[in-house]
Amino acid sequence: MELYPKIISNPPYSLKFDEQEIDSKKFKYGIPNSNYADYLFIQSGLSRLSEGGTAAFILPHGILFRGNREKKIREALNILNG
């Protein structure tokens, strides 16, 4: 897989997905609720980022406040911890 020094992404907001079709090994921070694929897009982008690279994701503000699985992913990514 090719790595990139900069990634800018504007994924489709709150896209639904089938959890059965997701390869959980590809998403080391976890699989979110099937109603919100936002964190799948983030993890996919980060996996393609070269060492020392920069990524920017345009996302809805609600992604920062959802609980359960997404909270665990956010904590693993160290987003808004504390």
Side-chain angles (χ1 to χ4, degrees), residues 21-61:
E21 295 181 16
I22 299 296
D23 180 4
S24 61
K25 294 177 213 136
K26 291 175 76 174
F27 300 99
K28 67 180 181 180
Y29 298 108
I31 305 296
N33 179 299
S34 63
N35 289 324
Y36 305 106
D38 305 318
Y39 280 105
L40 294 180
F41 286 105
I42 291 171
Q43 291 182 75
S44 180
L46 293 176
S47 73
R48 290 170 171 78
L49 193 61
S50 62
E51 177 120 8
T54 303
F57 299 92
I58 300 169
L59 298 160
H61 72 280

mmCIF file of all heavy atoms in Angstrom, residues 21-61:
data_model
loop_
_atom_site.group_PDB
_atom_site.id
_atom_site.type_symbol
_atom_site.label_atom_id
_atom_site.label_comp_id
_atom_site.label_asym_id
_atom_site.label_seq_id
_atom_site.Cartn_x
_atom_site.Cartn_y
_atom_site.Cartn_z
ATOM 1 N N GLU A 21 -19.234 -7.194 6.901
ATOM 2 C CA GLU A 21 -18.375 -7.043 5.730
ATOM 3 C C GLU A 21 -17.062 -6.328 6.028
ATOM 4 O O GLU A 21 -16.232 -6.156 5.140
ATOM 5 C CB GLU A 21 -19.133 -6.291 4.631
ATOM 6 C CG GLU A 21 -20.328 -7.065 4.105
ATOM 7 C CD GLU A 21 -21.052 -6.323 3.002
ATOM 8 O OE1 GLU A 21 -20.495 -5.368 2.436
ATOM 9 O OE2 GLU A 21 -22.194 -6.703 2.710
ATOM 10 N N ILE A 22 -16.852 -5.931 7.270
ATOM 11 C CA ILE A 22 -15.655 -5.189 7.655
ATOM 12 C C ILE A 22 -14.594 -6.153 8.170
ATOM 13 O O ILE A 22 -14.866 -7.013 9.002
ATOM 14 C CB ILE A 22 -15.992 -4.150 8.755
ATOM 15 C CG1 ILE A 22 -17.005 -3.136 8.253
ATOM 16 C CG2 ILE A 22 -14.743 -3.468 9.267
ATOM 17 C CD1 ILE A 22 -16.529 -2.271 7.118
ATOM 18 N N ASP A 23 -13.376 -6.000 7.675
ATOM 19 C CA ASP A 23 -12.238 -6.782 8.162
ATOM 20 C C ASP A 23 -11.688 -6.084 9.405
ATOM 21 O O ASP A 23 -10.976 -5.092 9.296
ATOM 22 C CB ASP A 23 -11.168 -6.891 7.080
ATOM 23 C CG ASP A 23 -9.962 -7.696 7.519
ATOM 24 O OD1 ASP A 23 -9.959 -8.247 8.639
ATOM 25 O OD2 ASP A 23 -9.004 -7.784 6.731
ATOM 26 N N SER A 24 -12.026 -6.604 10.574
ATOM 27 C CA SER A 24 -11.668 -5.933 11.826
ATOM 28 C C SER A 24 -10.156 -5.820 12.018
ATOM 29 O O SER A 24 -9.690 -4.957 12.755
ATOM 30 C CB SER A 24 -12.302 -6.649 13.014
ATOM 31 O OG SER A 24 -11.854 -7.979 13.097
ATOM 32 N N LYS A 25 -9.370 -6.652 11.359
ATOM 33 C CA LYS A 25 -7.910 -6.589 11.482
ATOM 34 C C LYS A 25 -7.352 -5.302 10.863
ATOM 35 O O LYS A 25 -6.277 -4.857 11.229
ATOM 36 C CB LYS A 25 -7.269 -7.802 10.816
ATOM 37 C CG LYS A 25 -7.579 -9.102 11.506
ATOM 38 C CD LYS A 25 -6.971 -10.270 10.751
ATOM 39 C CE LYS A 25 -7.877 -11.457 10.904
ATOM 40 N NZ LYS A 25 -8.110 -12.204 9.725
ATOM 41 N N LYS A 26 -8.084 -4.717 9.921
ATOM 42 C CA LYS A 26 -7.622 -3.503 9.255
ATOM 43 C C LYS A 26 -7.834 -2.256 10.104
ATOM 44 O O LYS A 26 -7.252 -1.220 9.835
ATOM 45 C CB LYS A 26 -8.351 -3.330 7.921
ATOM 46 C CG LYS A 26 -7.972 -4.357 6.885
ATOM 47 C CD LYS A 26 -8.798 -4.202 5.639
ATOM 48 C CE LYS A 26 -8.338 -3.047 4.818
ATOM 49 N NZ LYS A 26 -9.037 -2.944 3.533
ATOM 50 N N PHE A 27 -8.675 -2.373 11.133
ATOM 51 C CA PHE A 27 -9.040 -1.201 11.932
ATOM 52 C C PHE A 27 -8.605 -1.440 13.378
ATOM 53 O O PHE A 27 -9.380 -1.874 14.216
ATOM 54 C CB PHE A 27 -10.540 -0.933 11.818
ATOM 55 C CG PHE A 27 -10.951 -0.661 10.397
ATOM 56 C CD1 PHE A 27 -11.517 -1.653 9.612
ATOM 57 C CD2 PHE A 27 -10.731 0.580 9.829
ATOM 58 C CE1 PHE A 27 -11.873 -1.410 8.296
ATOM 59 C CE2 PHE A 27 -11.083 0.840 8.514
ATOM 60 C CZ PHE A 27 -11.652 -0.162 7.748
ATOM 61 N N LYS A 28 -7.343 -1.126 13.652
ATOM 62 C CA LYS A 28 -6.742 -1.474 14.940
ATOM 63 C C LYS A 28 -7.326 -0.707 16.124
ATOM 64 O O LYS A 28 -7.172 -1.126 17.257
ATOM 65 C CB LYS A 28 -5.233 -1.313 14.886
ATOM 66 C CG LYS A 28 -4.741 0.110 14.730
ATOM 67 C CD LYS A 28 -3.231 0.143 14.681
ATOM 68 C CE LYS A 28 -2.705 1.543 14.538
ATOM 69 N NZ LYS A 28 -1.258 1.565 14.503
ATOM 70 N N TYR A 29 -8.005 0.395 15.876
ATOM 71 C CA TYR A 29 -8.579 1.173 16.973
ATOM 72 C C TYR A 29 -10.009 0.755 17.296
ATOM 73 O O TYR A 29 -10.580 1.214 18.265
ATOM 74 C CB TYR A 29 -8.528 2.670 16.667
ATOM 75 C CG TYR A 29 -7.117 3.175 16.499
ATOM 76 C CD1 TYR A 29 -6.626 3.522 15.248
ATOM 77 C CD2 TYR A 29 -6.269 3.282 17.593
ATOM 78 C CE1 TYR A 29 -5.327 3.975 15.093
ATOM 79 C CE2 TYR A 29 -4.965 3.729 17.444
ATOM 80 C CZ TYR A 29 -4.507 4.064 16.196
ATOM 81 O OH TYR A 29 -3.221 4.504 16.050
ATOM 82 N N GLY A 30 -10.600 -0.089 16.462
ATOM 83 C CA GLY A 30 -11.940 -0.599 16.717
ATOM 84 C C GLY A 30 -12.918 -0.319 15.593
ATOM 85 O O GLY A 30 -12.652 0.473 14.695
ATOM 86 N N ILE A 31 -14.054 -0.995 15.668
ATOM 87 C CA ILE A 31 -15.126 -0.844 14.685
ATOM 88 C C ILE A 31 -16.261 -0.068 15.347
ATOM 89 O O ILE A 31 -16.757 -0.464 16.403
ATOM 90 C CB ILE A 31 -15.661 -2.224 14.221
ATOM 91 C CG1 ILE A 31 -14.526 -3.100 13.690
ATOM 92 C CG2 ILE A 31 -16.768 -2.060 13.194
ATOM 93 C CD1 ILE A 31 -13.851 -2.578 12.460
ATOM 94 N N PRO A 32 -16.681 1.046 14.756
ATOM 95 C CA PRO A 32 -17.774 1.833 15.346
ATOM 96 C C PRO A 32 -19.140 1.189 15.121
ATOM 97 O O PRO A 32 -19.260 0.170 14.440
ATOM 98 C CB PRO A 32 -17.674 3.169 14.603
ATOM 99 C CG PRO A 32 -17.088 2.806 13.288
ATOM 100 C CD PRO A 32 -16.165 1.646 13.547
ATOM 101 N N ASN A 33 -20.164 1.812 15.662
ATOM 102 C CA ASN A 33 -21.538 1.398 15.436
ATOM 103 C C ASN A 33 -21.818 1.442 13.937
ATOM 104 O O ASN A 33 -21.362 2.350 13.240
ATOM 105 C CB ASN A 33 -22.455 2.363 16.203
ATOM 106 C CG ASN A 33 -23.907 2.045 16.037
ATOM 107 O OD1 ASN A 33 -24.434 2.065 14.928
ATOM 108 N ND2 ASN A 33 -24.570 1.759 17.128
ATOM 109 N N SER A 34 -22.590 0.492 13.448
ATOM 110 C CA SER A 34 -22.830 0.379 12.003
ATOM 111 C C SER A 34 -23.615 1.553 11.404
ATOM 112 O O SER A 34 -23.748 1.649 10.191
ATOM 113 C CB SER A 34 -23.550 -0.925 11.684
ATOM 114 O OG SER A 34 -24.819 -0.959 12.299
ATOM 115 N N ASN A 35 -24.111 2.455 12.229
ATOM 116 C CA ASN A 35 -24.809 3.637 11.709
ATOM 117 C C ASN A 35 -23.877 4.789 11.374
ATOM 118 O O ASN A 35 -24.297 5.767 10.775
ATOM 119 C CB ASN A 35 -25.843 4.129 12.726
ATOM 120 C CG ASN A 35 -27.009 3.186 12.835
ATOM 121 O OD1 ASN A 35 -27.434 2.600 11.852
ATOM 122 N ND2 ASN A 35 -27.517 3.015 14.038
ATOM 123 N N TYR A 36 -22.601 4.680 11.787
ATOM 124 C CA TYR A 36 -21.664 5.784 11.608
ATOM 125 C C TYR A 36 -20.293 5.261 11.179
ATOM 126 O O TYR A 36 -19.527 4.782 11.998
ATOM 127 C CB TYR A 36 -21.487 6.567 12.912
ATOM 128 C CG TYR A 36 -22.771 7.070 13.509
ATOM 129 C CD1 TYR A 36 -23.313 6.469 14.637
ATOM 130 C CD2 TYR A 36 -23.433 8.148 12.952
ATOM 131 C CE1 TYR A 36 -24.492 6.935 15.197
ATOM 132 C CE2 TYR A 36 -24.615 8.626 13.500
ATOM 133 C CZ TYR A 36 -25.138 8.009 14.620
ATOM 134 O OH TYR A 36 -26.292 8.479 15.167
ATOM 135 N N ALA A 37 -19.965 5.406 9.921
ATOM 136 C CA ALA A 37 -18.677 4.921 9.411
ATOM 137 C C ALA A 37 -17.562 5.958 9.532
ATOM 138 O O ALA A 37 -16.452 5.729 9.076
ATOM 139 C CB ALA A 37 -18.823 4.505 7.943
ATOM 140 N N ASP A 38 -17.837 7.080 10.184
ATOM 141 C CA ASP A 38 -16.860 8.172 10.261
ATOM 142 C C ASP A 38 -15.489 7.697 10.728
ATOM 143 O O ASP A 38 -14.469 8.020 10.135
ATOM 144 C CB ASP A 38 -17.361 9.287 11.178
ATOM 145 C CG ASP A 38 -18.726 9.822 10.766
ATOM 146 O OD1 ASP A 38 -18.934 10.001 9.558
ATOM 147 O OD2 ASP A 38 -19.564 10.045 11.639
ATOM 148 N N TYR A 39 -15.446 6.922 11.811
ATOM 149 C CA TYR A 39 -14.156 6.484 12.347
ATOM 150 C C TYR A 39 -13.493 5.410 11.475
ATOM 151 O O TYR A 39 -12.291 5.209 11.569
ATOM 152 C CB TYR A 39 -14.290 6.010 13.790
ATOM 153 C CG TYR A 39 -14.338 7.166 14.759
ATOM 154 C CD1 TYR A 39 -15.527 7.559 15.354
ATOM 155 C CD2 TYR A 39 -13.197 7.891 15.058
ATOM 156 C CE1 TYR A 39 -15.570 8.631 16.229
ATOM 157 C CE2 TYR A 39 -13.227 8.969 15.925
ATOM 158 C CZ TYR A 39 -14.414 9.327 16.505
ATOM 159 O OH TYR A 39 -14.442 10.403 17.362
ATOM 160 N N LEU A 40 -14.255 4.748 10.622
ATOM 161 C CA LEU A 40 -13.632 3.839 9.645
ATOM 162 C C LEU A 40 -12.850 4.652 8.620
ATOM 163 O O LEU A 40 -11.729 4.290 8.244
ATOM 164 C CB LEU A 40 -14.682 2.979 8.948
ATOM 165 C CG LEU A 40 -15.428 1.964 9.810
ATOM 166 C CD1 LEU A 40 -16.429 1.196 8.966
ATOM 167 C CD2 LEU A 40 -14.467 1.011 10.496
ATOM 168 N N PHE A 41 -13.419 5.758 8.171
ATOM 169 C CA PHE A 41 -12.731 6.620 7.213
ATOM 170 C C PHE A 41 -11.465 7.222 7.825
ATOM 171 O O PHE A 41 -10.426 7.305 7.172
ATOM 172 C CB PHE A 41 -13.652 7.735 6.702
ATOM 173 C CG PHE A 41 -14.695 7.270 5.735
ATOM 174 C CD1 PHE A 41 -16.012 7.152 6.129
ATOM 175 C CD2 PHE A 41 -14.359 6.936 4.436
ATOM 176 C CE1 PHE A 41 -16.986 6.709 5.239
ATOM 177 C CE2 PHE A 41 -15.314 6.493 3.531
ATOM 178 C CZ PHE A 41 -16.628 6.379 3.932
ATOM 179 N N ILE A 42 -11.558 7.637 9.079
ATOM 180 C CA ILE A 42 -10.389 8.210 9.754
ATOM 181 C C ILE A 42 -9.278 7.176 9.849
ATOM 182 O O ILE A 42 -8.130 7.439 9.498
ATOM 183 C CB ILE A 42 -10.764 8.737 11.152
ATOM 184 C CG1 ILE A 42 -11.660 9.965 11.027
ATOM 185 C CG2 ILE A 42 -9.502 9.070 11.953
ATOM 186 C CD1 ILE A 42 -12.250 10.428 12.342
ATOM 187 N N GLN A 43 -9.620 5.980 10.315
ATOM 188 C CA GLN A 43 -8.608 4.934 10.473
ATOM 189 C C GLN A 43 -8.014 4.520 9.132
ATOM 190 O O GLN A 43 -6.812 4.271 9.021
ATOM 191 C CB GLN A 43 -9.211 3.712 11.168
ATOM 192 C CG GLN A 43 -9.545 3.967 12.614
ATOM 193 C CD GLN A 43 -10.080 2.732 13.287
ATOM 194 O OE1 GLN A 43 -9.311 1.821 13.596
ATOM 195 N NE2 GLN A 43 -11.390 2.692 13.499
ATOM 196 N N SER A 44 -8.842 4.464 8.107
ATOM 197 C CA SER A 44 -8.351 4.120 6.779
ATOM 198 C C SER A 44 -7.357 5.176 6.290
ATOM 199 O O SER A 44 -6.294 4.853 5.750
ATOM 200 C CB SER A 44 -9.525 4.001 5.802
ATOM 201 O OG SER A 44 -9.077 3.662 4.524
ATOM 202 N N GLY A 45 -7.686 6.444 6.497
ATOM 203 C CA GLY A 45 -6.777 7.521 6.108
ATOM 204 C C GLY A 45 -5.476 7.477 6.877
ATOM 205 O O GLY A 45 -4.391 7.598 6.297
ATOM 206 N N LEU A 46 -5.562 7.274 8.182
ATOM 207 C CA LEU A 46 -4.352 7.221 9.003
ATOM 208 C C LEU A 46 -3.457 6.051 8.629
ATOM 209 O O LEU A 46 -2.228 6.154 8.709
ATOM 210 C CB LEU A 46 -4.724 7.151 10.493
ATOM 211 C CG LEU A 46 -5.394 8.390 11.068
ATOM 212 C CD1 LEU A 46 -5.804 8.151 12.511
ATOM 213 C CD2 LEU A 46 -4.490 9.604 10.944
ATOM 214 N N SER A 47 -4.057 4.953 8.194
ATOM 215 C CA SER A 47 -3.254 3.788 7.808
ATOM 216 C C SER A 47 -2.461 4.053 6.530
ATOM 217 O O SER A 47 -1.506 3.343 6.241
ATOM 218 C CB SER A 47 -4.142 2.560 7.630
ATOM 219 O OG SER A 47 -4.915 2.652 6.450
ATOM 220 N N ARG A 48 -2.847 5.066 5.776
ATOM 221 C CA ARG A 48 -2.163 5.412 4.532
ATOM 222 C C ARG A 48 -1.217 6.607 4.685
ATOM 223 O O ARG A 48 -0.634 7.085 3.723
ATOM 224 C CB ARG A 48 -3.193 5.717 3.452
ATOM 225 C CG ARG A 48 -3.944 4.491 2.995
ATOM 226 C CD ARG A 48 -5.119 4.861 2.115
ATOM 227 N NE ARG A 48 -5.726 3.709 1.504
ATOM 228 C CZ ARG A 48 -6.555 2.870 2.119
ATOM 229 N NH1 ARG A 48 -6.861 3.066 3.378
ATOM 230 N NH2 ARG A 48 -7.075 1.836 1.483
ATOM 231 N N LEU A 49 -1.080 7.086 5.905
ATOM 232 C CA LEU A 49 -0.255 8.256 6.187
ATOM 233 C C LEU A 49 1.187 7.833 6.444
ATOM 234 O O LEU A 49 1.454 6.919 7.223
ATOM 235 C CB LEU A 49 -0.817 8.965 7.411
ATOM 236 C CG LEU A 49 -0.318 10.359 7.733
ATOM 237 C CD1 LEU A 49 -0.647 11.319 6.596
ATOM 238 C CD2 LEU A 49 -0.954 10.834 9.029
ATOM 239 N N SER A 50 2.116 8.483 5.766
ATOM 240 C CA SER A 50 3.529 8.168 5.978
ATOM 241 C C SER A 50 3.985 8.694 7.336
ATOM 242 O O SER A 50 3.351 9.582 7.923
ATOM 243 C CB SER A 50 4.394 8.751 4.859
ATOM 244 O OG SER A 50 4.290 10.149 4.832
ATOM 245 N N GLU A 51 5.078 8.140 7.843
ATOM 246 C CA GLU A 51 5.625 8.560 9.143
ATOM 247 C C GLU A 51 5.911 10.063 9.110
ATOM 248 O O GLU A 51 6.526 10.577 8.182
ATOM 249 C CB GLU A 51 6.906 7.797 9.422
ATOM 250 C CG GLU A 51 7.568 8.202 10.699
ATOM 251 C CD GLU A 51 7.695 7.062 11.679
ATOM 252 O OE1 GLU A 51 7.403 5.919 11.310
ATOM 253 O OE2 GLU A 51 8.096 7.339 12.801
ATOM 254 N N GLY A 52 5.415 10.765 10.116
ATOM 255 C CA GLY A 52 5.619 12.207 10.194
ATOM 256 C C GLY A 52 4.669 12.996 9.310
ATOM 257 O O GLY A 52 4.783 14.214 9.213
ATOM 258 N N GLY A 53 3.711 12.309 8.661
ATOM 259 C CA GLY A 53 2.774 12.983 7.773
ATOM 260 C C GLY A 53 1.685 13.725 8.520
ATOM 261 O O GLY A 53 1.574 13.655 9.740
ATOM 262 N N THR A 54 0.864 14.439 7.771
ATOM 263 C CA THR A 54 -0.223 15.237 8.323
ATOM 264 C C THR A 54 -1.532 14.839 7.666
ATOM 265 O O THR A 54 -1.591 14.689 6.443
ATOM 266 C CB THR A 54 0.023 16.736 8.065
ATOM 267 O OG1 THR A 54 1.281 17.092 8.637
ATOM 268 C CG2 THR A 54 -1.068 17.597 8.666
ATOM 269 N N ALA A 55 -2.573 14.691 8.479
ATOM 270 C CA ALA A 55 -3.897 14.360 7.945
ATOM 271 C C ALA A 55 -4.920 15.358 8.460
ATOM 272 O O ALA A 55 -4.826 15.825 9.594
ATOM 273 C CB ALA A 55 -4.301 12.947 8.352
ATOM 274 N N ALA A 56 -5.881 15.683 7.618
ATOM 275 C CA ALA A 56 -6.994 16.550 7.998
ATOM 276 C C ALA A 56 -8.281 15.885 7.529
ATOM 277 O O ALA A 56 -8.378 15.439 6.388
ATOM 278 C CB ALA A 56 -6.856 17.923 7.350
ATOM 279 N N PHE A 57 -9.249 15.795 8.432
ATOM 280 C CA PHE A 57 -10.531 15.180 8.121
ATOM 281 C C PHE A 57 -11.637 16.174 8.430
ATOM 282 O O PHE A 57 -11.675 16.736 9.530
ATOM 283 C CB PHE A 57 -10.751 13.917 8.970
ATOM 284 C CG PHE A 57 -9.730 12.851 8.734
ATOM 285 C CD1 PHE A 57 -8.586 12.788 9.517
ATOM 286 C CD2 PHE A 57 -9.892 11.920 7.728
ATOM 287 C CE1 PHE A 57 -7.632 11.817 9.317
ATOM 288 C CE2 PHE A 57 -8.942 10.945 7.518
ATOM 289 C CZ PHE A 57 -7.809 10.887 8.303
ATOM 290 N N ILE A 58 -12.524 16.401 7.479
ATOM 291 C CA ILE A 58 -13.673 17.270 7.685
ATOM 292 C C ILE A 58 -14.820 16.365 8.123
ATOM 293 O O ILE A 58 -15.243 15.490 7.369
ATOM 294 C CB ILE A 58 -14.031 18.034 6.399
ATOM 295 C CG1 ILE A 58 -12.848 18.891 5.973
ATOM 296 C CG2 ILE A 58 -15.297 18.871 6.607
ATOM 297 C CD1 ILE A 58 -12.974 19.483 4.591
ATOM 298 N N LEU A 59 -15.288 16.568 9.364
ATOM 299 C CA LEU A 59 -16.298 15.689 9.946
ATOM 300 C C LEU A 59 -17.334 16.502 10.718
ATOM 301 O O LEU A 59 -17.060 17.632 11.131
ATOM 302 C CB LEU A 59 -15.619 14.692 10.900
ATOM 303 C CG LEU A 59 -14.601 13.764 10.243
ATOM 304 C CD1 LEU A 59 -13.669 13.180 11.282
ATOM 305 C CD2 LEU A 59 -15.322 12.665 9.494
ATOM 306 N N PRO A 60 -18.500 15.920 10.968
ATOM 307 C CA PRO A 60 -19.494 16.626 11.763
ATOM 308 C C PRO A 60 -19.048 16.697 13.225
ATOM 309 O O PRO A 60 -18.339 15.805 13.706
ATOM 310 C CB PRO A 60 -20.752 15.759 11.612
ATOM 311 C CG PRO A 60 -20.229 14.395 11.337
ATOM 312 C CD PRO A 60 -18.968 14.599 10.535
ATOM 313 N N HIS A 61 -19.438 17.748 13.932
ATOM 314 C CA HIS A 61 -18.990 17.907 15.315
ATOM 315 C C HIS A 61 -19.503 16.791 16.227
ATOM 316 O O HIS A 61 -18.877 16.469 17.225
ATOM 317 C CB HIS A 61 -19.379 19.282 15.865
ATOM 318 C CG HIS A 61 -20.835 19.436 16.139
ATOM 319 N ND1 HIS A 61 -21.744 19.701 15.153
ATOM 320 C CD2 HIS A 61 -21.530 19.329 17.289
ATOM 321 C CE1 HIS A 61 -22.941 19.762 15.671
ATOM 322 N NE2 HIS A 61 -22.852 19.541 16.972
#
